[in-house]
Amino acid sequence: MKQLALRLSFLVFVLLHPSRQDPVSDYLKSFKAKRVLQQDIIKTLSSKTEVKQGEMLKLLYEAMYGVLKPAFANLESGGFTPSSPFPHDQPHHLDSLSLIYENCALFSELCLRFPDVTDSLYRTISLVDFTDVIKKSITFCLGREEVFNKENEHGKLLNLAMQELRLKPRDSNYINPYRKTLSQTPEPKPVKKKEKKKNPRGPYISKPRAEL
């Protein structure tokens, strides 16, 4: 009887605590693995000159645009919104969602690690609505708390990217250590103007001008 009771207890425990993880946890493992692979891109870019970084980032950003735009079109055509549940049983939607998550995270890290080059490309890239697609991606991902919540590294990355791109007000202590331009340097203290000496009272004799 004692052994039967133990077996029944174990069965109840298994039923109440299934070992199979939920789909979001399984996806997060895959997402984190992709983020590790993305670090190779960061390392490669870090070893290049600024000119070469610009060339490579331009190609990367154009490729991201080419992925993000149809991914959003696919989700929107299927009625998927930022508040929709995680589409673990809808592979077509999950593929598009994954592409948005991965590319948005990569862009956020690139704009933080290479801010000067990104600034230039962000303003001058030939794609008409590139900046709109990037803003849309970050805003969309911030609404997906299963991956990008305020407490984890992915959510914090997007928050910093929004500040870097000035999509939200920067925190008072915000500084990007990778930026080389002077835009973040403290404002110089105002130079005190020297007080003009008052002329003594009485007639003032001007210096004679030299004849031309």
Side-chain angles (χ1 to χ4, degrees), residues 117-184:
V117 179
T118 298
D119 273 356
S120 176
L121 290 172
Y122 199 66
R123 292 191 304 268
T124 61
I125 201 163
S126 59
L127 302 168
V128 178
D129 57 346
F130 173 75
T131 56
D132 292 333
V133 171
I134 293 299
K135 291 176 187 177
K136 183 177 182 178
S137 301
I138 295 176
T139 304
F140 178 89
C141 287
L142 284 172
R144 306 296 304 179
E145 293 196 353
E146 73 267 12
V147 176
F148 301 96
N149 63 66
K150 295 178 181 179
E151 304 302 321
N152 68 20
E153 59 183 304
H154 314 305
K156 290 175 182 176
L157 175 68
L158 262 61
N159 178 53
L160 290 173
M162 287 192 76
Q163 292 185 65
E164 181 64 35
L165 297 171
R166 296 190 182 277
L167 300 180
K168 64 178 291 186
R170 291 180 176 179
D171 295 339
S172 58
N173 60 346
Y174 178 84
I175 292 178
N176 186 343
Y178 295 101
R179 184 174 284 283
K180 297 175 184 176
T181 57
L182 300 177
S183 62
Q184 291 184 147

Side-chain angles (χ1 to χ4, degrees), residues 35-50:
R35 291 287 295 131
V36 170
L37 293 175
Q38 288 177 353
Q39 298 309 305
D40 291 336
I41 297 174
I42 305 294
K43 290 176 184 176
T44 300
L45 282 164
S46 298
S47 66
K48 304 298 181 182
T49 64
E50 194 166 301

Side-chain angles (χ1 to χ4, degrees), residues 24-121:
V24 175
S25 297
D26 290 339
Y27 173 76
L28 276 172
K29 286 183 179 180
S30 171
F31 177 75
K32 289 177 180 178
K34 292 283 180 66
R35 291 287 295 131
V36 170
L37 293 175
Q38 288 177 353
Q39 298 309 305
D40 291 336
I41 297 174
I42 305 294
K43 290 176 184 176
T44 300
L45 282 164
S46 298
S47 66
K48 304 298 181 182
T49 64
E50 194 166 301
V51 173
K52 194 66 178 176
Q53 286 174 359
E55 294 172 356
M56 294 174 71
L57 283 171
K58 184 174 184 293
L59 293 173
L60 268 171
Y61 292 163
E62 287 175 347
M64 287 179 184
Y65 175 87
V67 167
L68 288 168
K69 197 154 187 182
F72 274 116
N74 176 51
L75 291 181
E76 289 164 2
S77 66
F80 191 91
T81 67
S83 59
S84 296
F86 189 76
H88 61 89
D89 56 349
Q90 302 169 41
H92 194 47
H93 280 168
L94 183 56
D95 288 345
S96 295
L97 191 64
S98 298
L99 289 172
I100 293 171
Y101 285 172
E102 292 159 17
N103 281 275
C104 187
L106 178 57
F107 178 85
S108 296
E109 186 157 12
L110 289 172
C111 83
L112 289 167
R113 292 293 296 268
F114 308 99
D116 300 298
V117 179
T118 298
D119 273 356
S120 176
L121 290 172

Side-chain angles (χ1 to χ4, degrees), residues 1-12:
M1 288 293 293
K2 187 176 181 181
Q3 288 182 345
L4 179 60
L6 287 172
R7 287 177 183 176
L8 287 172
S9 297
F10 177 75
L11 181 60
V12 170

